[in-house]
Amino acid sequence: MPYKFKSRATADLIMLDASARKLLTIVGKDADGPGIITAMQIPGALAALEQAVVEEEARRAAAGETQDDADGTQGDEDDAAPAGAADGVSLRQRTAPFIDMLKRSAAEGRDVTW
């Protein structure tokens, strides 16, 4: 089931279930049913998303160094890769539209709902 994020500051953002649930978990929101990130909660949500992106990029960099050092052991490391790494789409790419929506909503003092 796709999620539709809405804000009066931006156009609607439609996101597939797995990606939306991951982002909502990162910002500390319940992904079951409708919800809201209030304008006052947006700075905390942005900080949590940005921290998660930094952590994922550090894990990817470490995994890349390990794979370069280990000849032919890539299969074992793929099992431990973070979600989304297998298809090559980083968390930074997945969060970009949502972060943009949150920033625009915060600038106008608007809530984001789903």
Side-chain angles (χ1 to χ4, degrees):
M1 167 178 118
Y3 281 72
K4 184 187 277 190
F5 295 96
K6 294 178 168 264
S7 171
R8 290 185 178 213
T10 65
D12 293 351
L13 173 64
I14 298 173
M15 193 174 292
L16 294 178
D17 184 65
S19 297
R21 285 181 174 277
K22 182 174 184 172
L23 297 185
L24 290 172
T25 299
I26 290 170
V27 299
K29 293 294 185 174
D30 184 16
D32 296 327
I36 186 169
I37 299 173
T38 65
M40 292 185 68
Q41 294 172 331
I42 289 175
L46 286 169
L49 288 168
E50 289 167 1
Q51 180 64 33
V53 166
V54 168
E55 289 171 2
E56 191 225 23
E57 287 175 346
R59 280 192 303 271
R60 281 182 171 229
E65 292 171 4
T66 304
Q67 289 176 4
D68 290 342
D69 294 341
D71 296 325
T73 59
Q74 187 174 355
D76 293 337
E77 292 167 9
D78 283 345
D79 294 338
D87 62 359
V89 179
S90 70
L91 185 60
R92 179 175 299 281
Q93 292 168 315
R94 291 199 189 277
T95 60
F98 191 56
I99 287 174
D100 182 59
M101 175 181 250
L102 290 174
K103 286 180 178 179
R104 289 179 182 210
S105 297
E108 293 190 23
R110 301 293 187 170
D111 301 336
V112 175
T113 61
W114 62 92

XYZ file of all heavy atoms in Angstrom:
835
model
N 0.846 -1.173 0.000
C 0.000 0.000 0.000
C 0.895 1.241 0.000
O 1.731 1.400 0.866
C -0.863 -0.020 1.257
C -1.572 1.270 1.552
S -2.585 1.130 3.009
C -1.796 2.330 4.043
N 0.744 2.103 -0.958
C 1.546 3.328 -0.968
C 1.058 4.313 0.092
O -0.101 4.307 0.489
C 1.347 3.885 -2.367
C 0.158 3.200 -2.921
C -0.057 1.951 -2.151
N 1.985 5.147 0.539
C 1.670 6.210 1.482
C 1.597 7.516 0.715
O 2.400 7.753 -0.187
C 2.764 6.322 2.551
C 2.660 5.290 3.630
C 2.975 3.958 3.387
C 2.253 5.638 4.909
C 2.890 3.013 4.380
C 2.166 4.696 5.913
C 2.488 3.383 5.638
O 2.396 2.448 6.620
N 0.656 8.366 1.095
C 0.557 9.689 0.505
C 0.780 10.713 1.612
O -0.031 10.841 2.534
C -0.799 9.918 -0.149
C -0.892 11.281 -0.854
C -2.286 11.574 -1.365
C -2.479 10.900 -2.700
N -3.749 11.349 -3.343
N 1.907 11.416 1.526
C 2.221 12.470 2.475
C 1.663 13.775 1.924
O 1.810 14.072 0.748
C 3.739 12.572 2.682
C 4.325 11.351 3.317
C 4.900 10.360 2.544
C 4.298 11.189 4.695
C 5.442 9.226 3.131
C 4.831 10.052 5.289
C 5.404 9.072 4.505
N 1.032 14.550 2.813
C 0.387 15.793 2.395
C 0.855 16.946 3.271
O 1.067 16.769 4.474
C -1.130 15.678 2.526
C -1.771 14.675 1.607
C -3.277 14.623 1.860
C -3.962 13.858 0.773
N -4.493 14.715 -0.279
N 0.984 18.087 2.637
C 1.289 19.324 3.337
C 0.706 20.466 2.524
O 0.687 20.406 1.290
C 2.803 19.507 3.481
O 3.093 20.799 3.981
N 0.263 21.507 3.200
C -0.265 22.663 2.475
C 0.861 23.497 1.874
O 0.602 24.422 1.117
C -1.121 23.512 3.399
C -2.406 22.803 3.751
C -3.302 23.684 4.560
N -4.536 22.963 4.819
C -5.706 23.529 4.909
N -5.809 24.831 4.777
N -6.774 22.811 5.146
N 2.111 23.147 2.193
C 3.251 23.889 1.667
C 3.822 23.283 0.383
O 4.587 23.936 -0.311
C 4.356 23.943 2.722
N 3.444 22.037 0.082
C 4.024 21.348 -1.071
C 2.962 20.493 -1.768
O 1.862 20.301 -1.255
C 5.161 20.388 -0.645
O 4.621 19.334 0.150
C 6.242 21.109 0.140
N 3.362 19.944 -2.882
C 2.522 18.950 -3.547
C 2.563 17.654 -2.731
O 3.445 17.471 -1.883
C 3.039 18.699 -4.959
N 1.619 16.763 -2.984
C 1.600 15.478 -2.298
C 2.825 14.658 -2.692
O 3.340 14.774 -3.805
C 0.342 14.683 -2.668
C -0.935 15.324 -2.139
O -0.842 16.286 -1.347
O -2.016 14.868 -2.535
N 3.266 13.823 -1.768
C 4.401 12.931 -1.998
C 3.904 11.507 -1.806
O 3.419 11.158 -0.720
C 5.533 13.240 -1.024
C 6.719 12.290 -1.018
C 7.445 12.333 -2.363
C 7.675 12.648 0.106
N 4.000 10.703 -2.845
C 3.570 9.307 -2.766
C 4.814 8.437 -2.678
O 5.744 8.587 -3.472
C 2.709 8.923 -3.981
C 1.444 9.784 -3.992
C 2.368 7.440 -3.949
C 0.589 9.624 -5.220
N 4.811 7.525 -1.707
C 5.964 6.678 -1.459
C 5.491 5.244 -1.233
O 4.465 5.019 -0.600
C 6.713 7.203 -0.225
C 8.077 6.638 -0.013
S 8.934 7.439 1.367
C 9.197 9.077 0.720
N 6.256 4.303 -1.736
C 5.928 2.899 -1.537
C 6.034 2.521 -0.068
O 6.769 3.137 0.705
C 6.834 2.014 -2.380
C 6.658 2.159 -3.892
C 7.648 1.266 -4.632
C 5.241 1.836 -4.319
N 5.319 1.483 0.303
C 5.163 1.054 1.691
C 6.483 0.895 2.431
O 6.666 1.472 3.493
C 4.366 -0.261 1.721
C 4.078 -0.733 3.121
O 3.332 -0.031 3.834
O 4.613 -1.790 3.506
N 7.399 0.097 1.906
C 8.638 -0.212 2.630
C 9.459 1.045 2.892
O 9.967 1.248 4.008
C 9.458 -1.241 1.856
N 9.574 1.895 1.900
C 10.350 3.133 2.071
C 9.685 4.063 3.074
O 10.357 4.631 3.941
C 10.502 3.842 0.726
O 11.225 3.053 -0.180
N 8.385 4.233 2.962
C 7.666 5.121 3.874
C 7.745 4.620 5.307
O 7.978 5.407 6.232
C 6.211 5.246 3.443
N 7.566 3.321 5.501
C 7.648 2.767 6.858
C 9.029 2.986 7.458
O 9.157 3.318 8.639
C 7.304 1.276 6.856
C 5.832 1.010 6.691
C 5.534 -0.496 6.728
N 4.114 -0.716 6.720
C 3.332 -0.669 7.809
N 3.850 -0.417 8.969
N 2.034 -0.876 7.703
N 10.065 2.818 6.654
C 11.428 3.022 7.149
C 11.625 4.471 7.584
O 12.158 4.736 8.664
C 12.441 2.642 6.066
C 13.864 2.783 6.511
C 14.815 2.256 5.463
C 16.242 2.318 5.997
N 17.182 1.660 5.115
N 11.178 5.422 6.767
C 11.346 6.830 7.105
C 10.536 7.206 8.342
O 11.022 7.943 9.203
C 10.949 7.714 5.926
C 11.785 7.570 4.666
C 11.347 8.588 3.629
C 13.257 7.687 4.937
N 9.322 6.692 8.435
C 8.494 6.999 9.607
C 9.093 6.409 10.878
O 9.036 7.025 11.940
C 7.065 6.510 9.382
C 6.277 7.309 8.337
C 4.940 6.639 8.045
C 6.083 8.745 8.781
N 9.685 5.226 10.767
C 10.356 4.628 11.919
C 11.539 5.488 12.353
O 11.745 5.713 13.547
C 10.823 3.196 11.584
O 9.674 2.412 11.253
C 11.551 2.553 12.746
N 12.299 5.975 11.392
C 13.455 6.824 11.698
C 13.026 8.079 12.450
O 13.686 8.490 13.404
C 14.221 7.193 10.408
C 14.926 5.956 9.845
C 15.230 8.318 10.665
C 15.509 6.152 8.458
N 11.915 8.686 12.053
C 11.468 9.921 12.714
C 10.635 9.645 13.962
O 10.159 10.580 14.605
C 10.715 10.862 11.755
C 11.607 11.282 10.608
C 9.428 10.272 11.248
N 10.449 8.372 14.296
C 9.756 8.018 15.526
C 8.244 8.062 15.447
O 7.570 8.269 16.461
N 7.708 7.843 14.263
C 6.254 7.853 14.086
C 5.741 6.455 13.793
O 6.433 5.621 13.220
C 5.860 8.784 12.931
C 6.138 10.236 13.205
C 5.257 10.745 14.330
C 5.422 12.222 14.563
N 4.484 12.735 15.542
N 4.492 6.204 14.178
C 3.843 4.936 13.917
C 3.396 4.907 12.463
O 2.675 5.797 12.002
C 2.643 4.764 14.851
C 1.959 3.424 14.710
O 2.554 2.512 14.120
O 0.818 3.304 15.202
N 3.825 3.887 11.745
C 3.507 3.789 10.323
C 2.134 3.173 10.066
O 1.678 3.145 8.936
C 4.585 2.974 9.607
N 1.486 2.673 11.091
C 0.162 2.059 10.927
C -0.914 3.125 11.028
O -1.060 3.790 12.048
C -0.068 0.983 11.994
C 0.904 -0.174 11.852
O 1.284 -0.480 10.714
O 1.290 -0.751 12.886
N -1.653 3.284 9.962
C -2.745 4.247 9.965
C -2.274 5.655 9.693
O -1.100 5.902 9.435
N -3.195 6.602 9.746
C -2.851 7.995 9.481
C -2.003 8.576 10.611
O -2.027 8.086 11.739
C -4.208 8.691 9.393
C -5.187 7.771 9.974
C -4.605 6.391 9.966
N -1.268 9.618 10.283
C -0.432 10.255 11.290
C -0.098 11.679 10.901
O -0.511 12.170 9.856
N 0.680 12.323 11.776
C 1.041 13.718 11.556
C 2.430 13.982 12.117
O 2.821 13.439 13.146
C 0.002 14.663 12.209
C 0.284 16.111 11.849
C -0.042 14.464 13.707
C -0.834 17.069 12.242
N 3.161 14.817 11.393
C 4.377 15.428 11.914
C 4.046 16.909 11.977
O 3.851 17.558 10.941
C 5.595 15.183 10.997
C 5.874 13.685 10.858
C 6.831 15.898 11.560
C 6.957 13.344 9.842
N 3.925 17.433 13.174
C 3.545 18.832 13.325
C 4.717 19.726 12.933
O 5.870 19.288 12.892
C 3.121 19.159 14.769
O 4.254 19.003 15.623
C 1.975 18.267 15.229
N 4.412 20.971 12.659
C 5.459 21.927 12.292
C 6.522 22.011 13.390
O 7.704 22.162 13.098
C 4.846 23.298 12.025
N 6.104 21.867 14.634
C 7.058 21.919 15.750
C 7.922 20.657 15.819
O 9.036 20.700 16.339
C 6.319 22.131 17.064
C 5.686 23.507 17.161
S 4.932 23.813 18.762
C 6.396 23.881 19.775
N 7.442 19.541 15.311
C 8.192 18.289 15.333
C 9.146 18.143 14.145
O 10.016 17.285 14.154
C 7.226 17.100 15.333
C 6.387 16.987 16.583
C 5.310 15.921 16.455
O 4.819 15.642 15.357
N 4.940 15.331 17.586
N 8.979 18.970 13.135
C 9.767 18.827 11.913
C 11.277 18.961 12.154
O 12.036 18.151 11.626
C 9.267 19.789 10.812
C 7.902 19.302 10.306
C 10.265 19.892 9.672
C 7.234 20.215 9.296
N 11.761 19.924 12.943
C 13.209 19.995 13.143
C 13.795 18.701 13.726
O 14.860 18.248 13.294
C 13.393 21.166 14.111
C 12.203 22.035 13.850
C 11.081 21.069 13.560
N 13.104 18.078 14.648
C 13.564 16.802 15.209
C 13.533 15.687 14.185
O 14.443 14.846 14.127
N 12.496 15.683 13.354
C 12.397 14.674 12.300
C 13.526 14.837 11.291
O 14.143 13.858 10.859
C 11.038 14.766 11.608
N 13.824 16.082 10.916
C 14.916 16.340 9.981
C 16.252 15.895 10.557
O 17.069 15.280 9.866
C 14.968 17.825 9.612
C 13.888 18.316 8.660
C 13.882 19.834 8.594
C 14.081 17.710 7.287
N 16.471 16.194 11.837
C 17.724 15.790 12.481
C 17.854 14.268 12.499
O 18.934 13.723 12.235
C 17.790 16.354 13.901
N 16.769 13.574 12.801
C 16.807 12.103 12.835
C 17.087 11.530 11.454
O 17.880 10.583 11.308
C 15.483 11.561 13.379
N 16.467 12.075 10.425
C 16.697 11.599 9.060
C 18.134 11.861 8.619
O 18.785 10.985 8.035
C 15.722 12.271 8.088
C 14.280 11.804 8.177
C 13.367 12.745 7.379
C 14.138 10.377 7.680
N 18.630 13.052 8.905
C 19.997 13.384 8.509
C 21.012 12.505 9.237
O 21.998 12.066 8.648
C 20.254 14.868 8.722
C 19.487 15.712 7.710
C 19.430 17.198 8.027
O 20.011 17.634 9.049
O 18.805 17.923 7.237
N 20.767 12.217 10.509
C 21.656 11.327 11.267
C 21.623 9.914 10.687
O 22.659 9.266 10.544
C 21.261 11.304 12.746
C 22.137 10.406 13.595
C 23.577 10.866 13.643
O 23.867 12.049 13.597
N 24.496 9.921 13.730
N 20.453 9.440 10.330
C 20.328 8.100 9.737
C 21.061 8.019 8.399
O 21.695 7.006 8.085
C 18.859 7.731 9.565
N 21.004 9.089 7.611
C 21.709 9.122 6.321
C 23.218 9.046 6.552
O 23.918 8.279 5.889
C 21.326 10.393 5.526
C 22.272 10.626 4.360
C 19.889 10.283 5.032
N 23.721 9.827 7.504
C 25.154 9.821 7.810
C 25.596 8.430 8.267
O 26.632 7.918 7.826
C 25.483 10.891 8.887
C 26.883 10.718 9.433
C 25.299 12.280 8.306
N 24.801 7.804 9.132
C 25.144 6.472 9.621
C 25.135 5.446 8.495
O 26.026 4.596 8.415
C 24.179 6.046 10.731
C 24.382 6.824 12.013
C 23.306 6.561 13.050
O 22.396 5.724 12.806
O 23.366 7.199 14.114
N 24.140 5.528 7.594
C 24.085 4.576 6.488
C 25.264 4.770 5.544
O 25.858 3.801 5.081
C 22.777 4.703 5.712
C 22.606 3.552 4.739
C 22.143 3.950 3.353
O 22.334 5.101 2.950
O 21.612 3.077 2.671
N 25.631 6.012 5.282
C 26.768 6.268 4.405
C 28.062 5.760 5.022
O 28.928 5.239 4.315
C 26.856 7.759 4.069
C 25.760 8.175 3.108
C 25.722 9.667 2.830
O 26.365 10.457 3.564
O 25.036 10.047 1.863
N 28.200 5.871 6.334
C 29.383 5.335 7.011
C 29.420 3.812 6.904
O 30.478 3.221 6.665
C 29.389 5.771 8.477
N 28.253 3.159 7.066
C 28.192 1.694 6.930
C 28.534 1.270 5.507
O 29.267 0.304 5.296
C 26.795 1.171 7.284
C 26.535 1.052 8.767
C 25.259 0.259 9.048
N 24.076 0.818 8.414
C 23.278 1.727 8.942
N 23.551 2.203 10.142
N 22.216 2.149 8.301
N 28.014 2.002 4.522
C 28.308 1.670 3.120
C 29.791 1.848 2.820
O 30.389 1.043 2.108
C 27.481 2.532 2.172
C 26.062 2.054 2.015
C 25.313 2.937 1.027
N 24.033 2.342 0.721
C 23.564 2.169 -0.504
N 24.263 2.564 -1.536
N 22.409 1.617 -0.701
N 30.381 2.925 3.342
C 31.807 3.160 3.114
C 32.636 2.051 3.753
O 33.580 1.546 3.140
C 32.212 4.519 3.675
N 32.275 1.655 4.965
C 33.003 0.579 5.639
C 32.831 -0.737 4.897
O 33.775 -1.507 4.740
C 32.528 0.437 7.081
N 31.641 -1.015 4.415
C 31.391 -2.250 3.672
C 32.157 -2.238 2.356
O 32.684 -3.261 1.926
C 29.903 -2.433 3.409
N 32.260 -1.090 1.721
C 33.000 -0.971 0.469
C 34.478 -1.235 0.684
O 35.121 -1.911 -0.109
N 35.037 -0.725 1.778
C 36.441 -0.977 2.093
C 36.661 -2.441 2.399
O 37.629 -3.037 1.955
C 36.867 -0.122 3.286
C 36.900 1.353 2.986
C 37.110 2.194 4.224
O 37.314 1.635 5.315
O 37.068 3.420 4.085
N 35.724 -3.040 3.121
C 35.854 -4.451 3.468
C 35.779 -5.318 2.224
O 36.546 -6.250 2.064
C 34.742 -4.861 4.462
O 34.823 -4.008 5.584
C 34.891 -6.289 4.903
N 34.855 -4.981 1.307
C 34.714 -5.770 0.089
C 35.950 -5.647 -0.783
O 36.359 -6.605 -1.420
C 33.472 -5.340 -0.693
C 32.195 -5.754 -0.016
C 30.972 -5.236 -0.761
O 31.084 -4.634 -1.808
N 29.809 -5.482 -0.192
N 36.582 -4.484 -0.818
C 37.800 -4.322 -1.602
C 38.941 -5.141 -1.007
O 39.769 -5.664 -1.731
C 38.214 -2.848 -1.669
C 37.265 -2.030 -2.519
O 36.508 -2.638 -3.315
O 37.265 -0.794 -2.388
N 38.971 -5.234 0.320
C 40.038 -5.970 0.984
C 39.843 -7.477 0.912
O 40.802 -8.227 0.913
C 40.132 -5.561 2.467
C 40.558 -4.104 2.614
O 41.116 -3.555 1.634
O 40.337 -3.528 3.683
N 38.590 -7.923 0.869
C 38.296 -9.356 0.890
C 38.013 -9.823 -0.534
O 36.977 -9.522 -1.095
C 37.104 -9.636 1.795
N 38.905 -10.580 -1.103
C 38.731 -11.067 -2.469
C 37.693 -12.163 -2.522
O 37.882 -13.217 -1.941
C 40.057 -11.586 -3.024
C 41.086 -10.481 -3.147
O 40.699 -9.337 -3.452
O 42.271 -10.774 -2.924
N 36.578 -11.880 -3.194
C 35.576 -12.912 -3.425
C 34.638 -13.210 -2.279
O 33.846 -14.128 -2.362
N 34.665 -12.475 -1.193
C 33.767 -12.756 -0.068
C 32.571 -11.815 -0.057
O 31.923 -11.644 0.954
C 34.514 -12.646 1.284
O 35.036 -11.317 1.400
C 35.610 -13.686 1.386
N 32.273 -11.217 -1.170
C 31.197 -10.246 -1.265
C 29.839 -10.826 -0.888
O 29.026 -10.154 -0.298
C 31.145 -9.681 -2.681
C 30.163 -8.546 -2.837
C 30.259 -7.940 -4.218
O 31.117 -8.300 -5.014
N 29.370 -7.040 -4.518
N 29.591 -12.075 -1.169
C 28.297 -12.688 -0.884
C 27.937 -12.657 0.578
O 26.811 -12.400 0.947
N 28.882 -12.897 1.464
C 28.600 -12.867 2.890
C 28.266 -11.458 3.357
O 27.438 -11.261 4.219
C 29.810 -13.386 3.688
C 30.063 -14.869 3.433
O 29.107 -15.562 3.038
O 31.210 -15.309 3.605
N 28.917 -10.468 2.786
C 28.696 -9.103 3.213
C 27.376 -8.555 2.696
O 26.800 -7.671 3.302
C 29.864 -8.229 2.762
C 31.129 -8.609 3.516
C 32.363 -7.999 2.886
O 32.216 -7.159 1.980
O 33.457 -8.361 3.302
N 26.885 -9.060 1.566
C 25.590 -8.612 1.063
C 24.476 -8.960 2.035
O 23.505 -8.229 2.151
C 25.270 -9.237 -0.305
C 26.037 -8.552 -1.433
O 26.571 -7.446 -1.198
O 26.096 -9.122 -2.525
N 24.599 -10.069 2.745
C 23.582 -10.457 3.716
C 23.501 -9.456 4.854
O 22.450 -9.253 5.436
C 23.877 -11.850 4.284
C 23.762 -12.930 3.217
O 23.071 -12.694 2.200
O 24.371 -14.002 3.397
N 24.611 -8.802 5.181
C 24.644 -7.856 6.285
C 24.436 -6.419 5.825
O 24.464 -5.507 6.624
C 25.986 -7.970 7.016
N 24.226 -6.209 4.557
C 24.074 -4.863 4.025
C 22.780 -4.234 4.514
O 21.786 -4.915 4.725
C 24.087 -4.904 2.498
N 22.780 -2.919 4.701
C 21.555 -2.247 5.140
C 20.474 -2.343 4.085
O 20.756 -2.491 2.906
C 22.004 -0.799 5.350
C 23.261 -0.645 4.575
C 23.886 -2.010 4.496
N 19.235 -2.225 4.534
C 18.099 -2.288 3.602
C 18.255 -1.209 2.553
O 18.572 -0.074 2.859
C 16.789 -2.104 4.363
N 18.036 -1.567 1.316
C 18.158 -0.613 0.239
C 19.503 -0.666 -0.449
O 19.664 -0.178 -1.543
N 20.517 -1.250 0.209
C 21.849 -1.293 -0.380
C 21.902 -2.270 -1.542
O 22.648 -2.062 -2.490
C 22.876 -1.674 0.681
N 21.115 -3.322 -1.495
C 21.164 -4.342 -2.536
C 20.753 -3.782 -3.888
O 21.286 -4.177 -4.916
C 20.268 -5.517 -2.162
N 19.815 -2.851 -3.904
C 19.382 -2.299 -5.180
C 20.147 -1.037 -5.549
O 19.868 -0.429 -6.582
C 17.873 -2.042 -5.180
C 17.449 -1.018 -4.137
O 18.303 -0.519 -3.394
O 16.254 -0.725 -4.073
N 21.097 -0.632 -4.741
C 21.934 0.509 -5.060
C 21.325 1.860 -4.749
O 21.922 2.878 -5.038
N 20.144 1.914 -4.181
C 19.515 3.188 -3.846
C 19.827 3.503 -2.390
O 19.456 2.770 -1.486
C 17.984 3.147 -4.077
C 17.354 4.477 -3.707
C 17.678 2.793 -5.511
N 20.512 4.610 -2.184
C 20.920 4.969 -0.829
C 19.769 5.607 -0.053
O 18.784 6.063 -0.631
C 22.093 5.947 -0.886
O 21.655 7.202 -1.380
N 19.934 5.638 1.244
C 18.941 6.290 2.096
C 18.875 7.777 1.761
O 17.801 8.377 1.782
C 19.281 6.073 3.565
C 18.263 6.586 4.575
C 16.905 5.921 4.374
C 18.754 6.370 5.992
N 19.998 8.377 1.423
C 20.007 9.797 1.042
C 19.071 10.034 -0.147
O 18.299 10.988 -0.166
C 21.418 10.259 0.699
C 21.474 11.726 0.263
C 22.878 12.223 0.025
N 23.723 12.167 1.182
C 23.722 13.053 2.184
N 22.869 14.058 2.160
N 24.549 12.923 3.195
N 19.115 9.152 -1.139
C 18.249 9.294 -2.306
C 16.784 9.082 -1.942
O 15.900 9.781 -2.449
C 18.652 8.302 -3.394
C 20.010 8.619 -4.011
C 20.523 7.481 -4.866
O 20.449 6.321 -4.463
N 21.033 7.815 -6.032
N 16.526 8.108 -1.087
C 15.140 7.822 -0.706
C 14.541 8.931 0.147
O 13.341 9.193 0.083
C 15.058 6.501 0.043
C 15.346 5.311 -0.835
C 14.811 4.038 -0.214
N 15.260 2.889 -0.950
C 14.683 2.418 -2.060
N 13.627 3.016 -2.545
N 15.165 1.357 -2.668
N 15.363 9.567 0.974
C 14.846 10.590 1.880
C 14.751 11.972 1.247
O 14.044 12.831 1.771
C 15.716 10.714 3.149
O 17.052 11.082 2.773
C 15.721 9.438 3.958
N 15.444 12.212 0.141
C 15.528 13.558 -0.440
C 14.162 14.219 -0.651
O 13.965 15.370 -0.212
C 16.331 13.527 -1.729
N 13.194 13.568 -1.287
C 11.902 14.251 -1.477
C 11.170 14.518 -0.156
O 10.518 15.552 0.009
C 11.091 13.292 -2.346
C 12.008 12.211 -2.777
C 13.233 12.276 -1.939
N 11.304 13.582 0.789
C 10.641 13.734 2.081
C 11.289 14.864 2.878
O 10.590 15.684 3.486
C 10.704 12.405 2.843
C 9.840 12.352 4.068
C 8.483 12.593 4.007
C 10.381 12.021 5.298
C 7.676 12.529 5.139
C 9.592 11.942 6.430
C 8.243 12.204 6.350
N 12.622 14.933 2.853
C 13.331 16.009 3.546
C 12.953 17.355 2.943
O 12.716 18.327 3.667
C 14.856 15.765 3.516
C 15.216 14.625 4.484
C 15.627 17.038 3.875
C 16.663 14.193 4.447
N 12.862 17.416 1.619
C 12.452 18.653 0.957
C 11.049 19.063 1.413
O 10.804 20.236 1.722
C 12.502 18.481 -0.561
C 12.124 19.749 -1.291
O 12.802 20.784 -1.074
O 11.153 19.717 -2.072
N 10.145 18.099 1.473
C 8.781 18.384 1.922
C 8.789 18.913 3.358
O 8.101 19.892 3.673
C 7.913 17.124 1.832
C 6.521 17.309 2.394
S 5.525 15.811 2.320
C 4.346 16.299 1.077
N 9.571 18.279 4.220
C 9.630 18.711 5.615
C 10.205 20.124 5.733
O 9.680 20.953 6.490
C 10.459 17.724 6.441
C 9.836 16.351 6.673
C 10.829 15.431 7.370
C 8.547 16.453 7.474
N 11.262 20.414 4.981
C 11.875 21.745 5.047
C 10.923 22.825 4.557
O 10.797 23.886 5.182
C 13.170 21.770 4.235
C 14.316 21.046 4.919
C 15.580 21.098 4.080
C 16.731 20.410 4.796
N 17.970 20.418 3.987
N 10.245 22.567 3.461
C 9.287 23.549 2.943
C 8.117 23.738 3.899
O 7.625 24.848 4.096
C 8.771 23.117 1.579
C 9.806 23.239 0.487
C 9.252 22.768 -0.824
N 10.232 22.827 -1.872
C 9.935 23.023 -3.146
N 8.674 23.171 -3.524
N 10.883 23.052 -4.038
N 7.677 22.636 4.484
C 6.561 22.718 5.440
C 6.967 23.503 6.677
O 6.189 24.314 7.187
C 6.103 21.308 5.820
O 5.617 20.632 4.682
N 8.181 23.270 7.161
C 8.667 24.001 8.337
C 8.774 25.490 8.043
O 8.411 26.325 8.882
C 10.020 23.446 8.772
N 9.239 25.827 6.857
C 9.388 27.237 6.473
C 8.056 27.971 6.482
O 7.995 29.169 6.776
C 10.050 27.347 5.104
N 6.977 27.252 6.174
C 5.651 27.875 6.147
C 4.822 27.568 7.396
O 3.656 27.945 7.479
C 4.899 27.420 4.891
C 5.511 27.943 3.610
C 4.660 27.697 2.393
O 3.422 27.515 2.537
O 5.232 27.659 1.296
N 5.424 26.820 8.338
C 4.703 26.495 9.565
C 3.560 25.520 9.359
O 2.561 25.572 10.067
N 3.696 24.617 8.406
C 2.643 23.652 8.064
C 3.003 22.253 8.552
O 4.162 21.858 8.587
C 2.433 23.598 6.554
C 2.053 24.896 5.931
C 0.679 25.324 6.387
N 0.255 26.505 5.634
C -0.951 26.963 5.679
N -1.872 26.378 6.401
N -1.269 28.032 4.981
N 1.979 21.480 8.891
C 2.144 20.093 9.296
C 2.235 19.186 8.076
O 1.797 19.562 6.989
C 0.937 19.634 10.135
C 0.748 20.471 11.386
O 1.722 21.076 11.868
O -0.391 20.505 11.882
N 2.794 17.985 8.281
C 2.811 16.950 7.246
C 1.974 15.791 7.769
O 2.171 15.328 8.889
C 4.250 16.480 6.937
C 4.254 15.325 5.957
C 5.093 17.639 6.400
N 1.029 15.348 6.969
C 0.137 14.243 7.365
C 0.250 13.113 6.366
O 0.731 13.276 5.252
C -1.321 14.717 7.453
O -1.728 15.181 6.167
C -1.496 15.812 8.478
N -0.238 11.929 6.761
C -0.320 10.779 5.854
C -1.496 9.926 6.232
O -2.079 10.037 7.265
C 0.979 9.947 5.857
C 1.310 9.346 7.171
C 0.963 8.114 7.624
C 2.070 9.957 8.224
N 1.445 7.908 8.890
C 2.132 9.034 9.293
C 2.686 11.185 8.387
C 2.797 9.306 10.478
C 3.337 11.446 9.573
C 3.396 10.518 10.599
